[in-house]
Amino acid sequence: MRLTQDDRGRQFVIRDFSDSHVTVNDQELRQTFLLTPESLDPDVSVDDLDALSEQGESLLLRDDPEVIIIGTGNRTRMGPPALSAALMRRGVGIEYMDTAAALRTYTVLASELRRVSLLVLF
């Protein structure tokens, strides 16, 4: 699906996506990536949700987001409950969604200039 949106001065804009890729600005990404309020990490070493139980908190809190969205592929899958609890104790919201919904939600929140991070798992 192709997205067209006014970038309103945001550093990162999702331009396009399909089951096999996401285009952020002009960079086509085909593997797991993390998009934070300040940076794009196109090569995150997290292959699945189970890997988040070990390194998830430090990875996801990079650049001080207020909410974290995790795109889990074609269907919504939940991550480790301990990770969600740890983030909520810090006042950071976390939502797991299918990737298409995660990308749309990220776009809306980022357009409101919210401090949102997006982890997309391929």
Side-chain angles (χ1 to χ4, degrees):
M1 170 183 284
R2 187 137 186 89
L3 296 179
T4 303
Q5 169 126 9
D6 175 13
D7 68 14
R8 299 178 193 245
R10 289 176 291 132
Q11 187 173 1
F12 302 106
V13 178
I14 296 171
R15 302 280 183 200
D16 184 41
F17 68 93
S18 72
D19 288 343
S20 63
H21 80 278
V22 176
T23 303
V24 177
N25 295 345
D26 294 324
Q27 186 172 359
E28 190 172 286
L29 305 164
R30 294 183 175 276
Q31 60 188 26
T32 298
F33 68 90
L34 176 65
L35 183 57
T36 73
E38 309 296 331
S39 65
L40 170 62
D41 184 346
D43 190 25
V44 176
S45 62
V46 173
D47 294 332
D48 58 34
L49 290 169
D50 292 333
L52 287 176
S53 59
E54 294 175 14
Q55 60 186 2
E57 194 172 346
S58 62
L59 173 72
L60 296 174
L61 288 175
R62 187 184 309 167
D63 295 331
D64 195 30
E66 61 186 73
V67 65
I68 299 163
I69 301 168
I70 300 179
T72 62
N74 290 328
R75 62 184 178 84
T76 301
R77 294 176 289 138
M78 299 306 292
L83 174 62
S84 298
L87 292 172
M88 286 195 249
R89 279 192 300 274
R90 291 176 172 252
V92 177
I94 184 167
E95 294 291 333
Y96 297 90
M97 303 177 188
D98 66 78
T99 297
L103 296 171
R104 291 189 302 267
T105 302
Y106 170 85
T107 299
V108 170
L109 293 176
S111 74
E112 296 172 351
L113 303 179
R114 303 271 307 272
R115 290 196 61 81
V116 58
S117 288
L118 171 69
L119 176 68
V120 174
L121 302 172
F122 278 100

